[in-house]
Amino acid sequence: MKAFRFCLIPALFLLLVPQVCPAQYVWQVTHSYRDDTTGDYSPILMSCSGNHCTAIMGVGRDSAGKPAHNWFGFFRSDDGGLSWREQSHVANPGTTYPGFTYFFAMQQLDSSNAVAVGDSGNIFRTVDAGVTWKRQTPPQDYSAASLWGVHFHDPMNGIVGAADRPLTTSDGGEHWTLAPLTRLAIQGCHCYGPGKFAVLSELTGQIYRTSDNWATIDSTPPIPETVAQQFSLRRCNFGDGDTIIAYGFDSKSGLIVRTLDGGRTWEKCSLPDAFYTAGPVIAMTPISDDTLIAGCDCDGKLLYSTDLAHTWQFDTVPISNGFTASANGVGRPSPGVIVASMPMPGGPGFIVRGTLATAGVQLDHTLGIAGAYPNPANESVTLTFIAPDEPVHVLDVLGRELLQIKMPQQGPLSLNIASLPAGIYFAQHGRERARFVKE
């Protein structure tokens, strides 16, 4: 099979000519699902720890046929985002847990542990690799609060950020304690170990730290107006040392700022010129080396930095049919691999995976936005592409054609795969491609 690459440069959407550039990625859709009964599956959040990733999907449609979160599904990947399986779900969340309508933050801690937080004081935790998710109980005063951020140092010690004051735990979330900080609008938070926490005030950029479980608290000055004005720093990326990267938006566009001295001084990071008409920066991979990937509300693009957030470039995910999307979750399962979750306005949304390509390979395809379902499949798989009445070629991982069938004039294609051995396959349809797994 031919490999394809895309260049990390500010580019026109769906640019299909080769470029000389510092990094190139082969992109594929690894999850996109639409069900005529339950509705569209649209990713809300995603987080990875190594090859172990969890995505939360909002599922359903409203009375007008538009996507709605009638229930939330937890999806799991253990191969770096190549394949996904649904493990459990929260049905009728607003009825089961009054006031619960959305998840705002999540963290994949390791292969077994993950935690997600949302509105109405909802904290969900898994300790068995996503097989079951348990709703935890916050302090009574926070039963109706929106929880915006979460970070665990290990399976026992963690912190949750909220609009009023943060919550901390030392027993894996069985019990939560209110911190003595009030009205700071905290979304970015970090746990460095037992009793060691740091939080960022969304509206001032001040960092508050403790190393003795809030017995004493140190704070930094606000971010000066010479760096950013009228900002809202919705998220914060804390390193193990004094490096902190905060992101969100200011009065004009998306915003990324960083400090290398623990918050005493800040600098505004350099973003592509075209970014200053885009929306907020929504997600970012953890600080593990100088390479960072950020998701933003910027028409199907990702942000990419190789100098610890000092400067950023665009990478456009080549989605078909001129589709635009935000990236609300990003991960780096391993060096040279990117996974991003991208909701689709009015549609199912999808998860894409990019792998570093070899030099000298040209980009000459776009990604199909719908993919295949169910996935994995046993007897048949349904394929949805844009153009009707065109041949679909089913290829194995070596690029050999195994089946060929024409797309119908209307509706999706139901493909009989009973004769195929178990494995990974690609359905190629013109410039679109979907991946599916035969069990």
Side-chain angles (χ1 to χ4, degrees), residues 141-390:
D141 291 345
Y142 264 57
S143 60
S146 290
L147 308 179
W148 296 97
V150 62
H151 183 264
F152 274 69
H153 171 266
D154 54 68
M156 292 292 105
N157 296 279
I159 184 170
V160 168
D164 184 28
R165 55 199 295 193
L167 315 173
T168 61
T169 182
S170 59
D171 59 7
E174 292 298 321
H175 301 89
W176 291 91
T177 303
L178 291 173
L181 297 170
T182 60
R183 303 187 183 281
L184 294 180
I186 293 170
Q187 298 195 32
C189 54
H190 193 85
C191 177
Y192 291 95
K196 299 178 181 180
F197 305 102
V199 298
L200 172 80
S201 173
E202 173 189 346
L203 301 179
T204 67
Q206 290 176 276
I207 302 290
Y208 296 84
R209 279 195 182 88
T210 181
S211 58
D212 52 14
N213 205 26
W214 308 111
T216 60
I217 302 172
D218 297 323
S219 63
T220 62
I223 294 178
E225 291 187 355
T226 53
V227 175
Q229 298 180 4
Q230 300 178 23
F231 57 81
S232 176
L233 296 172
R234 295 290 180 88
R235 294 287 183 264
C236 202
N237 202 349
F238 291 84
D240 290 333
D242 288 332
T243 299
I244 303 171
I245 303 166
Y247 52 97
F249 60 93
D250 61 15
S251 58
K252 297 180 181 179
S253 65
L255 174 69
I256 302 176
V257 296
R258 75 169 186 173
T259 175
L260 303 179
D261 57 13
R264 290 185 292 274
T265 61
W266 292 85
E267 65 170 318
K268 188 175 183 178
C269 301
S270 176
L271 296 168
D273 290 341
F275 185 79
Y276 293 104
T277 60
V281 181
I282 304 171
M284 189 179 295
T285 54
I287 300 173
S288 58
D289 53 34
D290 285 347
T291 299
L292 293 165
I293 309 298
C296 53
D297 186 6
C298 41
D299 294 344
K301 298 181 179 68
L302 299 176
L303 288 165
Y304 181 96
S305 173
T306 57
D307 55 9
L308 198 58
H310 180 57
T311 59
W312 294 83
Q313 295 175 304
F314 269 141
D315 178 23
T316 301
V317 181
I319 303 301
S320 65
N321 203 35
F323 169 68
T324 61
S326 60
N328 58 13
V330 289
R332 283 182 70 210
S334 58
V337 177
I338 301 172
V339 183
S341 58
M342 309 182 81
M344 173 182 171
F350 49 90
I351 297 175
V352 295
R353 187 177 192 267
T355 54
L356 202 61
T358 56
V361 184
Q362 295 184 1
L363 169 80
D364 62 356
H365 85 301
T366 57
L367 298 178
I369 62 174
Y373 63 88
N375 198 358
N378 291 309
E379 299 295 327
S380 65
V381 62
T382 299
L383 304 172
T384 55
F385 292 109
I386 300 300
D389 204 30
E390 294 289 337

Side-chain angles (χ1 to χ4, degrees), residues 382-412:
T382 299
L383 304 172
T384 55
F385 292 109
I386 300 300
D389 204 30
E390 294 289 337
V392 175
H393 307 272
V394 177
L395 314 173
D396 64 13
V397 293
L398 299 178
R400 297 173 299 193
E401 182 175 294
L402 305 179
L403 297 172
Q404 183 181 139
I405 190 169
K406 184 177 289 188
M407 281 292 293
Q409 285 287 346
Q410 294 182 343

